[in-house]
Amino acid sequence: MAIKDLSLSAKMTIDGFMNGINKSTVKGPGLEFSQYRSYQPGDDLRSLDWKMFARSDRYYIRESEVETNIAVRILIDASASMNHSDGDFTKIDYARYLGASLAYLANLQGDAIGLYVLKNSGIFSMTPKQDYQHLARLFYQLEQIHPDGTFTKPIHYKELLAGTQKRELLIFVTDLYQKDDEIIKLLDTLNTLRHEIVVFHVLSRNELDLDFKGYTTFEDLETGETIQIDQTKERTNYQNKLNDYLEESRIKLLDRRIFYRTITTDEPLDQALRDFLKQRSKLRI
């Protein structure tokens, strides 16, 4: 994240990630192939690997060579709470790099990528496409995100509901800050489209640990309300309530068959990328 250029950072992240994948035993989308096997009568001739034939004078089938291109829509929560910082980085900074890395990886695999930024005033949308110029524009739009206000109102959801009849992969990066379950209601609406949904719940280490000292005044970034507490006395109670909230959120989403993962802003992106590949493999055409 020290690299300010999103496209360069995403490339370096994915190159390192793919090197690690290729050295492991993990198989699936994103690798060139899972394995070769000998040709058997009745196999689709389009799956023959002619380069292997030229080298070995034998017929081989590339088993993973099936059409797996899908549409991936990346949703970014741009409400003011995403401005929360821990050290040099905010939640929205982490969301940018996560979104850029996922988009780069999806484009590498031939998937169409779309971007939807959920702002207070509405939703900025980029319809999924698969080409490098579109990816470059997506990186640019990620860099332009400036969180402000509260979460997007339902009147603007029509941008998200438009799409194809094919199942898509929707990746939602959010801090799940809500007052009246508005984010859960949005996910219920998206669930009616029968797409695969992944929620990355972005948290900072300081909000998990409440590792400030003495009396501290906290401000709600969306409402401006403030509260002063003695963290030494309140830390245990706070952490218990936070853990209850996280478990409640996890159960709510799993009950809706939505993949849910908490991810902290000091955590490498590798696990999020693995989760992406895992969910993507469910949508093979």
Side-chain angles (χ1 to χ4, degrees), residues 24-40:
S24 75
T25 58
V26 176
K27 297 179 180 179
L31 307 186
E32 290 187 0
F33 60 91
S34 57
Q35 63 181 10
Y36 288 112
R37 66 170 175 82
S38 298
Y39 171 78
Q40 300 293 328

Side-chain angles (χ1 to χ4, degrees), residues 111-124:
D111 297 330
I113 314 116
L115 176 66
Y116 298 79
V117 182
L118 283 75
K119 304 182 293 183
N120 181 47
S121 58
I123 297 178
F124 169 83

Side-chain angles (χ1 to χ4, degrees), residues 206-223:
N206 58 15
E207 71 177 323
L208 284 173
D209 299 338
L210 201 69
D211 58 352
F212 306 93
K213 296 181 179 179
Y215 283 92
T216 302
T217 299
F218 291 91
E219 179 183 357
D220 186 315
L221 294 174
E222 297 192 5
T223 66

